[in-house]
Amino acid sequence: MLAQVHALAVSGIDAYLVEVEVHLASGLPSFTTVGLPYGAVKEGRERVHAALVNSGFEFPLKRITVNLAPADVRKEGSAFDLPVAIGILVASGQLEAPGLPEGALVGELGLDGELRGVRGALPMASAAARLGLRWLTVPAPNAIEAATVDRITVLGARGLAEVVAHLKGQRGLAPAAARRDGLPADGSSGVDLADVQAQPAAKRALEIAAAGGHNLLLVGPPGTGKTMLARRLPTLLPPLALDEAIEVTKVHSVAGLLRPETGLVVARPFRAPHHTISDAGLCGGGSPPKPGEVSLAHRGVLFLDELPEFRRSVLETLRQPLEDGIVTIARAQAAVTFPARFILAAAMNPCPCGHRGDPRRSCVCSDETVRRYRARLSGPLLDRIDLHLSVSAVGYRDLRVSQSAESSGAVRARVEAARERQARRVAAGRPRLNADLGAADVRRCCRLPPEGERLLEAAMARLGLSARAFVRTLKLARTIADLGGRDAIAPADVAEAIQYRATDRGPPSGEPAG
């Protein structure tokens, strides 16, 4: 006898349909899974056997063959346990479910028949809705996450017996309701830009970075507030739109980072990996490939503290995602693509001891030591960072005198207004942020007045800026004009943009270039 059950599998942050075919034949009892099963899929036969028996069903002592189609794609994960168990019950005549072809089932089975959560429930629900299925049964911990998707009924079950009772029509499962979790709609997270004393130039740089989606490098002695500033960058970003929130939730779902009973994530991600991270940890990898920190920071902020302490090979893997906004991981079996559109916020000391240019303490590093330290960062990587800013030490008076600093909410209002200007300027389907503009968009949107042209030409000659740095300076000037509410870029906007490129070609003495 033959039974067919719809299941779903994840590839990247998307999912595809898998037909689970179960055939029972006479002969010596056996259980064979074909269709390129791997790892947990192969082990699933033991879980299915125990779950059926411990849930009160009969395990057929026949020759059982399970085929996972398409058979030329490797299957991984434990989400096939539930559809295989249901297929065995249908093929053995213990279950009649005429509505089975209208939906799909996913879930991992415990030995007692309990359903446990799986990774990628949201991508699976999206795929099921796209394919026109009417319902999807998932483990109860994944139900709220999957219910975020419209146009499909999501049913959460806690065990195999509940699913069977529902399919028989004896005891129906209640549809899951969507719910949003995460930070409040205003993007607050318990920190605020008003917490930072002084540092007006650094706060201005954060505002520009948030408005245009630009990458940022803070250079300064220890204790000047570089980390404190970077951690407040997400509070300046507008709340996630619905499509952005779905993208972020998909990435975290595939990575297995969503808590049980978690719905749609609406908080801007902030990721701060340690400098000992590996290439795969930063950009993704493994078998099966999983998203790395650059993808977990999608639509948010990736903060790399002590930037030169990261291995150079690890930092060089950032070049492609910073340019393209995606990460493609190629393996022998297939290639998967993860989104990676984030704002890079990095911090570093001016020298190994950290005190070059610090008026409070003397630097003990030689010029050659400083050169070797800065050489850990390649020119192509620095070119992809739009704002380079020197952060100076804060004095006693600035720390102790009460000052009325702007809150994150006030700055965020200006950022949102600037982003609205950017969105109105580009056609539908084009990049909405200045940092993402293509060559044609830059030529159209970033025209300079004659004085601005002369300023930029002189800066290229003096600072030795590359063609990429030239284009990024134009985008930066466009963002500064947007924050000022100007349709045309002014010479002052170009001058301010140029000053943010000055330190990436600074002298080894640590003194500001210029």
Side-chain angles (χ1 to χ4, degrees), residues 347-428:
M348 63 177 285
N349 295 329
C351 64
C353 78
H355 299 293
R356 178 145 296 212
D358 187 352
R360 304 169 303 173
R361 297 183 61 179
S362 299
C363 174
V364 298
C365 305
S366 66
D367 286 353
E368 182 58 31
T369 301
V370 176
R371 287 192 184 94
R372 287 199 302 268
Y373 178 72
R374 294 193 176 186
R376 299 177 187 176
L377 307 178
S378 68
L381 177 62
L382 290 174
D383 273 349
R384 289 168 169 83
I385 301 178
D386 304 346
L387 294 100
H388 300 213
L389 186 72
S390 293
V391 182
S392 58
V394 180
Y396 174 84
R397 184 176 297 275
D398 290 326
L399 291 173
R400 298 301 296 167
V401 174
S402 177
Q403 299 175 346
S404 57
E406 272 194 310
S407 67
S408 292
V411 178
R412 186 168 59 250
R414 294 197 297 270
V415 168
E416 290 176 343
R419 289 195 171 201
E420 288 174 3
R421 293 181 67 86
Q422 296 169 55
R424 290 195 300 267
R425 190 164 49 239
V426 298

Side-chain angles (χ1 to χ4, degrees), residues 323 379-380 382-386 437-439 442 456 459-461 463-476 501 504-505:
E323 200 73 26
L382 290 174
D383 273 349
R384 289 168 169 83
I385 301 178
D386 304 346
L437 294 177
V442 170
L456 193 50
M460 285 195 68
L463 301 176
L465 301 182
S466 67
R468 180 183 289 112
F470 164 76
V471 172
R472 288 182 176 268
T473 303
L474 286 176
K475 296 178 183 179
L476 203 57
R501 301 296 313 192
D504 65 336
R505 295 295 186 273

Side-chain angles (χ1 to χ4, degrees), residues 273 277-284 292-295 302 304 314-315 317-318:
I277 193 171
S278 65
D279 301 25
L282 186 63
C283 285
E293 291 293 332
V294 296
S295 297
L302 175 67
L304 301 183
V314 173
L315 292 179
T317 62
L318 285 172

Side-chain angles (χ1 to χ4, degrees), residues 3 25-26 64 131 152 165 187 192 236 309 408 417 429 439 445 484:
S26 301
I64 302 173
L131 293 167
I152 190 168
D192 196 280
L236 309 184
E309 301 301 327
S408 292
C445 302

Side-chain angles (χ1 to χ4, degrees), residues 59-433:
F59 187 82
L61 298 178
K62 294 189 176 183
R63 183 176 179 180
I64 302 173
T65 302
V66 176
N67 179 46
L68 307 176
D72 59 344
V73 179
R74 192 166 82 166
K75 316 300 187 308
E76 296 171 288
S78 57
F80 296 106
D81 291 0
L82 179 59
V84 168
I86 295 299
I88 291 175
L89 292 176
V90 173
S92 62
Q94 299 180 69
L95 172 64
E96 292 185 7
L100 200 57
E102 298 176 354
L105 304 102
V106 294
E108 175 187 332
L109 287 171
L111 299 185
D112 58 353
E114 178 190 3
L115 274 173
R116 296 171 179 168
V118 296
R119 296 180 178 181
L122 179 56
M124 290 177 183
S126 298
R130 185 179 66 250
L131 293 167
L133 298 178
R134 294 182 57 187
W135 54 268
L136 172 67
T137 298
V138 300
N142 298 124
I144 295 176
E145 170 194 344
T148 302
V149 179
D150 296 327
R151 307 186 315 279
I152 190 168
T153 300
V154 174
L155 306 171
R158 300 197 175 276
L160 176 61
E162 283 188 16
V163 177
V164 173
H166 174 78
L167 292 173
K168 285 182 176 180
Q170 297 173 348
R171 188 171 62 253
L173 294 171
R179 186 181 75 207
R180 284 194 167 204
D181 287 331
L183 299 185
D186 64 357
S188 61
S189 58
V191 298
D192 196 280
L193 194 62
D195 301 333
V196 182
Q197 296 292 324
Q199 302 293 12
K203 292 180 180 180
R204 169 68 172 172
L206 287 183
E207 181 177 344
I208 296 171
H214 301 286
N215 302 316
L216 172 72
L217 173 63
L218 301 172
V219 184
T224 54
K226 302 186 296 295
T227 301
M228 190 176 186
L229 286 161
R231 290 191 177 277
R232 280 147 183 80
L233 181 53
T235 69
L236 309 184
L237 299 174
L240 288 169
L242 179 59
D243 58 338
E244 294 176 329
I246 290 175
E247 287 179 354
V248 172
T249 308
K250 279 185 175 181
V251 174
H252 285 71
S253 175
V254 170
L257 297 181
L258 292 184
R259 302 186 308 275
E261 310 292 344
T262 295
L264 191 65
V265 175
V266 297
R268 291 276 181 181
F270 180 84
R271 306 292 299 185
H274 192 259
H275 66 262
T276 57
I277 193 171
S278 65
D279 301 25
L282 186 63
C283 285
S287 182
K290 295 178 183 177
E293 291 293 332
V294 296
S295 297
L296 295 173
H298 181 59
R299 302 296 181 186
V301 175
L302 175 67
F303 177 49
L304 301 183
D305 200 4
E306 303 296 343
L307 188 64
E309 301 301 327
F310 287 78
R311 293 198 302 274
R312 181 159 180 160
S313 62
V314 173
L315 292 179
E316 292 305 297
T317 62
L318 285 172
R319 287 160 60 174
Q320 186 248 341
L322 285 175
E323 200 73 26
D324 302 332
I326 59 173
V327 171
T328 300
I329 303 171
R331 293 291 181 265
Q333 296 80 13
V336 298
T337 299
F338 295 111
R341 194 162 296 283
F342 56 90
I343 296 177
L344 173 64
M348 63 177 285
N349 295 329
C351 64
C353 78
H355 299 293
R356 178 145 296 212
D358 187 352
R360 304 169 303 173
R361 297 183 61 179
S362 299
C363 174
V364 298
C365 305
S366 66
D367 286 353
E368 182 58 31
T369 301
V370 176
R371 287 192 184 94
R372 287 199 302 268
Y373 178 72
R374 294 193 176 186
R376 299 177 187 176
L377 307 178
S378 68
L381 177 62
L382 290 174
D383 273 349
R384 289 168 169 83
I385 301 178
D386 304 346
L387 294 100
H388 300 213
L389 186 72
S390 293
V391 182
S392 58
V394 180
Y396 174 84
R397 184 176 297 275
D398 290 326
L399 291 173
R400 298 301 296 167
V401 174
S402 177
Q403 299 175 346
S404 57
E406 272 194 310
S407 67
S408 292
V411 178
R412 186 168 59 250
R414 294 197 297 270
V415 168
E416 290 176 343
R419 289 195 171 201
E420 288 174 3
R421 293 181 67 86
Q422 296 169 55
R424 290 195 300 267
R425 190 164 49 239
V426 298
R430 308 290 291 177
R432 297 170 61 90
L433 294 180

